[in-house]
């Protein structure tokens, strides 16, 4: 690794920072309370060319790596946008990975330039109510019908389904009991969001309210075979390619939330005077913020290493999982301490740290729970027996 | 539960503390075998070990006995205090084992393995069951088998062994000097109660005792022993916090007592709250056990989990707050830290958690096995 400042990365961060500076805490608070998608922010990033940062140049993107995408998202999170900002663009920036790697040339040329321009929203349709983390148990079924497929089933926690024009949809084309391996028999589609066949219900939730989460009820959705990504039955393998990058990106987003939480807390602790001195002079205030900073520093190093490994095509599952876990924990600790530092005002919307707190909490659950990361490390890093 | 520590109980504990501090050798000074046995003889003669046995019936008396027993945590004492006061004396009294009581009272150092938690059954009720060694009648009763990690075995004159005799549960008192008894080298982190393995090879028992309800009495006495350990934990935790406060008040750095730094004082405040929580839970569990509340057995386990963790947290905080001196032998915080480590290690965390989980399952499903409440979201999924 090289700890010297990378000028390109520094320029990238400054560029993003400058572009999104006008979307301040008040903007994000307003989007959050109104449950309004941050369209202006999304368009600003599209016009600046940032949405295509990790999409190949031949489709209009910048063709950069996960490291650059991660730095971009960390910068967005640490601006105060937190997950409201990151989730709005996260899938656009890297969720198209299966399409880039395994989609047909026609599909790529048709859709990817629209993704880069910000014209096309895509949702990720994998999770199901009765499958959860055990993806092999999904039951949304795609049946061959002439030159296409007919899909029936349910999906849950589908981000941005209210805006999406397409759904990157994982289905079962072969029932689980007929498959040699549990992960066989699943097929991935870039399915059009035909709302006559898909009912979308928003899920009320604790935070990240500018970006909707939804339950989908799919009933007789027709999907042309040309919208299939790669071969039938290999959909899960195509998704696997994206799991480590997703964890790396989410780790950086967590770190961004943690950073802004500490920044706001430090500012407040320097200004707020109680018992004739700034409250930051109390060790009970200062030390937890110092600890939060060190935890974030440590998590950031692991996250950066994971991104570095991925961009060089090296195995990075250990580091990606570790980064996700450490960063989520560090971010939550930082956000919690930021609320505590603000005292009663930490609970008030006006100071924004409660929003960071709500969104940092999410990171210990998504995209994978901390417990599943521990399962991964126990089994695949330490060689212990599988526990589930 | 409505209970207050009255002046009489407070005075009893103060008297016990004074006795232990003045009369018992410091385990940190590593007293030799003769000094340890002399101290044990004096402790037994003082009858303080029997005080805990007085509190097994009435709920208020049980809580009082627990309060007094905290002194044994505050002052580290060599010898199997917990085994004798917390388990053997109550068990012998409850089952009418006169010969056993006589032996426990004659100044001999008698030890035993206290039964551990059994795998929860379908009813979800935690039970403690002794591992019984086989015993046969061959003129005398003879015992064969091995007990691991017996407290203070290296000093012991005799060991009370749970045996199976004639197909029935029984207790056998075996002198350690008898032929066929081999005691291994003492080891363990706790200076008060080093453990050792004891092997019996057709060893003759000096006395045998049985009772129709022996297994149930062993179970309830072992639960009482668990509470005794809780009392030691909150007593020890309170002591190390008090010592830390005293040190941090007197120790000056950067021109002020280190206790004025919030990082120090807040940590001590945190562990104080944790230990106080342990004390309340132990008192409640003791009350419920004496009052035969159905959930008492599970409460006792929860109390052990809490108190052992609280003691360890307090002892770790004490070592940290004493700075470099906390790491020294002379300063002595390590005596409580060792006791806390041993207490946590002896809490049999996996079995305890399994027992609490089984109890929670019972609460969720009821004794019929039918789930009382639908899982969250079930109705929505069904719709």
């Amino acid at each position: 690794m090289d700890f010297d400042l990378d000028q390109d990365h520094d320029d990238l961060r400054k560029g993003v920072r400058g572009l999104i500076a006008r979307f301040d805490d008040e903007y994000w608070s307003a989007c959050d309370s109104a449950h309004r998608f941050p369209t202006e922010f999304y368009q600003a990033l599209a016009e600046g060319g940032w949405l295509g940062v990790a999409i190949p140049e031949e489709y209009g993107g910048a063709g950069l790596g996960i490291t650059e995408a991660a730095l971009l998202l960390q910068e967005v999170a640490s601006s105060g946008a937190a997950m409201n900002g990151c989730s709005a663009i996260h899938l656009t920036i890297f969720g198209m990975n299966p399409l880039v790697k395994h989609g047909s040339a026609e599909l790529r040329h048709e859709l990817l330039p629209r993704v880069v321009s910000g014209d096309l929203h895509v949702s990720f349709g994998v999770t199901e109510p009765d499958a959860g983390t055990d993806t092999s148990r999904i039951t949304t079924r795609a049946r061959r019908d002439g030159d296409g497929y007919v899909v029936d089933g349910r999906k849950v926690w589908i981000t941005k389904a209210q805006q999406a024009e397409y759904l990157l949809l994982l289905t079962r084309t072969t029932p689980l009991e007929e498959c040699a391996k549990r992960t066989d028999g699943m097929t991935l589609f870039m399915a059009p969001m035909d709302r006559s066949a898909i009912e979308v219900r928003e899920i009320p939730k604790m935070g990240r309210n500018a970006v909707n989460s939804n339950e989908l009820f799919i009933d007789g959705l027709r999907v042309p075979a040309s919208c299939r990504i790669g071969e039938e039955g290999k959909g899960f393998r195509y998704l696997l390619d994206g799991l480590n990058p997703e964890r790396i990106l989410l780790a950086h987003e967590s770190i961004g939330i943690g950073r802004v939480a500490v920044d706001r807390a430090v500012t407040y602790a320097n200004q707020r005077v109680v018992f004739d001195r700034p409250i930051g002079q109390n060790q009970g205030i200062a030390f937890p913020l110092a600890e939060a900073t060190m935890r974030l520093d440590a998590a950031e190093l692991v996250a950066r290493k994971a991104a570095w490994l991925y961009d060089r095509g090296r195995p990075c599952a250990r580091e990606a999982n570790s980064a996700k876990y450490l960063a989520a924990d560090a971010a939550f600790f930082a956000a919690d301490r930021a609320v505590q530092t603000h005292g009663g005002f930490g609970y008030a919307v006006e100071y924004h740290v409660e929003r960071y707190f709500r969104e940092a909490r999410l990171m210990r659950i998504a995209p994978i729970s901390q417990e599943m990361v521990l399962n991964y490390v126990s089994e695949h890093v330490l060689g212990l027996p599988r526990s589930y | 539960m409505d209970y207050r520590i009255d002046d009489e109980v407070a005075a009893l504990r103060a008297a016990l503390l004074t006795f232990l501090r003045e009369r018992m050798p410091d385990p940190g000074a590593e007293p030799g075998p003769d000094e340890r046995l002399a101290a044990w003889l004096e402790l037994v003669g003082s009858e303080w070990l029997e005080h805990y046995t007085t509190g097994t019936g009435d709920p208020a008396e049980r809580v009082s006995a627990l309060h007094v027993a905290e002194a044994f945590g505050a002052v580290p004492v060599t010898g199997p205090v917990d085994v004798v006061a917390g388990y053997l004396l109550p068990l012998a009294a409850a089952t009418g084992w006169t010969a056993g009581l006589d032996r426990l009272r004659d100044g001999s150092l008698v030890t035993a393995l206290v039964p551990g938690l059994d795998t929860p059954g379908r009813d979800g009720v935690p039970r403690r069951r002794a591992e019984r060694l086989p015993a046969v009648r061959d003129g005398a009763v003879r015992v064969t088998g091995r007990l691991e990690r017996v407290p203070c075995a290296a000093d012991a004159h005799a060991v009370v062994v749970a045996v199976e005799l004639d197909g029935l549960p029984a207790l056998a008192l075996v002198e350690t000097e008898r032929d066929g008894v081999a005691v291994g080298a003492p080891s363990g982190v706790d200076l008060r109660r080093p453990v050792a393995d004891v092997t019996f090879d057709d060893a003759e028992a000096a006395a045998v005792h049985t009772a129709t309800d022996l297994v149930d009495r062993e179970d309830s006495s072992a639960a009482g022993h668990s509470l005794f350990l809780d009392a030691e934990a909150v007593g020890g935790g309170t002591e190390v916090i008090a010592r830390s406060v005293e040190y941090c008040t007197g120790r000056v750095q950067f021109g002020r007592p280190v206790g004025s730094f919030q990082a120090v004082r807040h940590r001590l405040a945190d562990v104080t709250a944790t230990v106080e929580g342990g004390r309340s839970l132990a008192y409640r569990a003791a009350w419920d056990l004496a009052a035969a509340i159905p959930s008492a057995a599970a409460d006792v386990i929860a109390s052990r989990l809490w108190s052992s963790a609280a003691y360890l947290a307090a002892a770790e905080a004490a070592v940290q707050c004493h700075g470099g001196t906390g790491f020294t032998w002379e300063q002595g915080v390590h005596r409580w830290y060792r006791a806390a480590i041993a207490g946590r290690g002896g809490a049999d965390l996996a079995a305890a958690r399994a027992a609490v989980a089984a109890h929670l399952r019972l609460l969720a499903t009821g004794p019929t096995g039918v789930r009382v409440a639908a899982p969250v979201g079930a109705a929505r999924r069904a719709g």
Side-chain angles (χ1 to χ4, degrees):
Chain A
M1 291 185 79
D2 184 351
F3 291 97
D4 275 343
L5 177 71
D6 182 305
Q7 194 56 50
D8 290 340
H9 289 171
D10 196 44
D11 291 345
L12 182 153
R13 298 176 77 153
K14 284 178 180 163
V16 175
R17 205 176 304 157
L19 182 67
I20 63 176
R22 62 190 158 107
F23 302 104
D24 58 11
D25 272 322
E26 303 305 328
Y27 173 83
W28 291 110
S29 186
C31 288
D32 191 64
S33 62
H35 291 222
R36 188 177 74 78
F37 188 78
T39 307
E40 305 82 3
F41 164 81
Y42 191 84
Q43 285 305 325
L45 282 173
E47 287 161 13
W50 295 104
L51 293 184
V53 65
I55 290 177
E57 290 174 274
E58 61 182 302
Y59 309 111
L64 299 173
I66 192 75
T67 302
E68 289 74 18
L71 292 173
L72 162 64
L73 285 162
Q74 184 176 330
E75 207 58 51
V76 168
S78 65
S79 74
M83 291 312 293
N84 277 326
C86 290
S87 297
I89 60 173
H90 175 109
L91 285 171
T92 305
I93 286 181
F94 210 80
M96 295 301 101
N97 195 35
L99 175 61
V100 171
K101 285 195 170 177
H102 306 288
S104 68
E106 295 77 18
L107 211 51
R108 279 182 275 147
H109 280 102
E110 179 190 344
L111 298 182
L112 289 175
R114 292 185 59 205
V115 169
V116 173
S117 71
D119 172 50
L120 176 65
H121 287 284
V122 178
S123 285
F124 216 63
V126 175
T127 308
E128 294 189 8
D130 294 323
T133 309
D134 188 357
T135 306
S136 67
R137 287 193 176 278
I138 66 164
T139 55
T140 293
R141 187 71 197 275
R143 292 179 178 80
R144 191 80 198 206
D145 183 36
D147 61 351
Y149 294 81
V150 177
V151 181
D152 296 283
R154 287 174 64 183
K155 295 287 176 183
V156 72
W157 296 116
I158 308 307
T159 297
K160 277 206 311 185
Q162 310 278 344
Q163 286 78 28
E165 188 180 329
Y166 277 87
L167 181 64
L168 193 62
L169 178 66
L170 187 69
T171 65
R172 264 221 169 272
T173 38
T174 307
L176 178 60
E177 52 275 17
E178 294 173 22
C179 295
K181 285 175 62 182
R182 300 172 60 82
T183 50
D184 287 346
M186 286 183 270
T187 301
L188 196 59
F189 295 96
M190 185 63 90
M193 277 285 287
D194 175 2
R195 282 168 169 76
S196 68
I198 303 177
E199 184 190 347
V200 180
R201 284 190 207 163
E202 184 167 356
I203 302 170
K205 58 188 192 293
M206 177 171 146
R208 206 205 68 179
N209 287 316
V211 183
N212 49 78
S213 300
N214 304 277
E215 194 164 8
L216 305 188
F217 299 83
I218 306 170
D219 183 12
L221 175 69
R222 298 198 68 84
V223 182
S226 59
C227 288
R228 193 183 68 217
I229 292 181
E231 293 180 43
E232 191 172 296
K234 293 188 176 175
F236 187 76
R237 273 173 244 179
Y238 303 149
L239 275 185
L240 279 182
D241 290 341
L243 295 184
N244 287 329
E246 184 181 39
R247 283 160 209 190
I248 294 168
L249 291 182
L250 267 291
H252 283 82
E253 292 169 14
S254 295
I255 292 159
I257 298 176
R259 295 290 189 208
V260 69
V262 171
D263 283 352
R264 299 291 187 268
V266 167
T267 300
Y268 186 81
N270 275 319
Q271 293 171 348
R272 171 76 169 161
V273 173
V274 179
F275 301 119
D276 300 325
R277 57 184 194 168
I279 60 170
Q281 201 172 337
N282 293 303
Q283 291 180 341
I285 299 291
F287 284 11
L289 295 177
E291 184 178 349
T293 299
M294 291 187 290
R295 289 191 188 199
L296 289 165
D297 286 350
E300 187 167 0
L301 276 175
V302 180
R304 206 77 91 230
K305 180 181 178 186
W308 185 88
L309 288 168
Y310 182 84
D311 282 340
R312 280 154 185 77
R314 299 188 194 174
C316 66
R318 174 183 183 160
E319 291 77 8
N321 277 282
S322 302
K324 188 273 164 189
Y325 181 97
L326 295 171
D329 247 24
F332 184 73
F333 180 79
D336 182 52
R337 295 314 307 183
V339 171
Q340 198 70 16
T341 300
H342 281 74
F345 292 113
Y347 216 64
V349 173
E350 179 187 354
Y351 283 83
H352 304 288
V353 287
E354 63 83 31
R355 178 164 52 83
Y356 306 152
F357 174 83
R358 286 185 283 123
E359 299 194 3
R361 187 63 187 80
L362 171 65
M363 311 308 275
R364 296 167 83 194
I365 304 170
I368 182 175
S369 70
Q370 300 292 79
E371 290 75 13
M372 289 306 292
V373 172
L374 294 172
N375 272 327
Y376 179 87
V377 174
S378 300
E379 184 182 349
H380 298 289
V381 177
L382 301 179
L384 292 166
R386 185 184 172 102
S387 64
Y388 58 99
Chain B
M1 176 176 170
D2 182 10
Y3 178 74
R4 288 173 192 276
I5 304 294
D6 60 25
D7 291 346
E8 185 182 348
V9 177
L12 270 175
R13 188 173 74 159
L16 175 55
L17 276 170
T18 301
F19 171 80
L20 296 177
R21 284 180 175 139
E22 291 180 353
R23 305 300 305 168
M24 293 294 108
D26 175 7
E30 299 182 280
D34 292 343
E35 192 179 356
R36 294 199 297 269
L37 286 173
W40 183 255
L41 181 64
E42 184 167 2
L43 182 59
V44 171
S46 72
E47 299 186 3
W48 277 112
L49 293 177
E50 302 204 32
H51 181 267
Y52 189 70
T53 311
T54 63
T56 53
D58 177 68
E61 284 185 7
R62 182 136 211 168
V63 177
S64 299
L66 211 61
H67 183 72
V68 174
E70 289 172 20
F72 286 109
V75 184
V77 174
T78 58
V81 172
D82 62 312
V83 173
V84 174
Y87 179 66
L88 287 176
L89 282 167
L91 177 64
T95 60
W97 189 17
T98 310
L101 283 172
D102 290 344
R103 191 61 199 276
L104 290 166
R105 287 167 174 160
D106 72 5
S108 301
L109 196 150
V110 183
T111 188
L113 266 189
V114 179
L117 285 166
D118 199 8
T119 305
R122 288 181 60 82
D123 62 3
V125 177
R127 293 184 179 82
R128 296 157 200 275
R129 291 286 181 264
E131 285 187 30
R132 314 205 88 86
L133 299 186
V136 296
R137 294 185 191 279
D138 179 17
V141 171
R142 295 183 181 280
V143 180
T144 298
R146 178 182 174 85
L147 297 178
E148 294 184 345
R149 296 186 296 279
V150 180
C152 302
D155 282 344
H157 298 108
V159 181
V160 174
V161 187
V163 297
E164 185 171 304
L165 179 65
D166 303 330
L168 294 172
L171 297 173
L173 190 143
V174 184
E175 308 284 353
T176 54
E177 291 188 350
R178 287 276 180 172
D179 289 344
V181 180
V183 179
S187 66
V189 69
D190 190 349
L191 295 172
R192 305 168 305 163
R193 299 162 194 163
V195 296
D197 297 344
V198 184
T199 305
F200 305 93
D201 183 9
D202 220 18
E204 182 182 332
V208 176
H209 174 64
T210 189
T212 53
D213 57 353
L214 178 61
V215 172
D216 288 342
R217 295 293 186 178
E218 285 176 338
D219 183 24
S220 58
S221 298
H225 172 259
S226 178
L227 289 171
F228 189 91
L229 293 177
D230 294 344
E232 285 194 330
V234 296
T238 304
E239 176 70 15
V240 289
I241 292 168
R243 285 170 172 261
S244 300
V245 169
E246 184 179 359
Y247 175 82
C248 294
T249 304
R251 171 71 171 167
V252 173
Q253 291 281 276
F254 306 110
R256 51 199 273 202
V258 293
S260 70
F261 292 108
Q262 290 175 344
V264 173
R265 63 197 291 130
H266 289 184
R267 183 165 183 179
L268 292 175
D270 275 347
V271 293
T272 300
T274 308
V275 169
E276 284 304 321
R279 177 177 278 122
S280 295
L281 182 54
Y283 287 3
R284 177 68 199 222
W287 181 282
D288 287 354
L289 195 65
I293 302 292
S295 65
D299 293 343
V300 169
I301 296 168
S303 178
R304 188 81 282 269
L305 286 171
W306 183 303
S307 290
S308 59
Y311 191 10
L312 190 55
E316 285 176 349
V319 171
Q320 189 70 17
C321 292
H322 276 79
T325 66
F327 211 67
T328 63
W329 189 276
E330 293 79 6
Q331 207 288 331
V333 183
H334 67 94
R335 291 172 295 171
W336 289 274
Y337 186 42
R338 288 163 179 274
I341 292 170
R344 187 64 176 166
D348 198 356
L349 300 180
R353 286 170 177 148
V356 173
H359 176 67
L360 294 175
R361 277 199 300 277
L362 180 71
L363 289 180
T365 61
T368 61
V370 177
R371 180 173 283 278
V372 175
V376 175
R380 190 162 177 240
R381 279 201 292 275

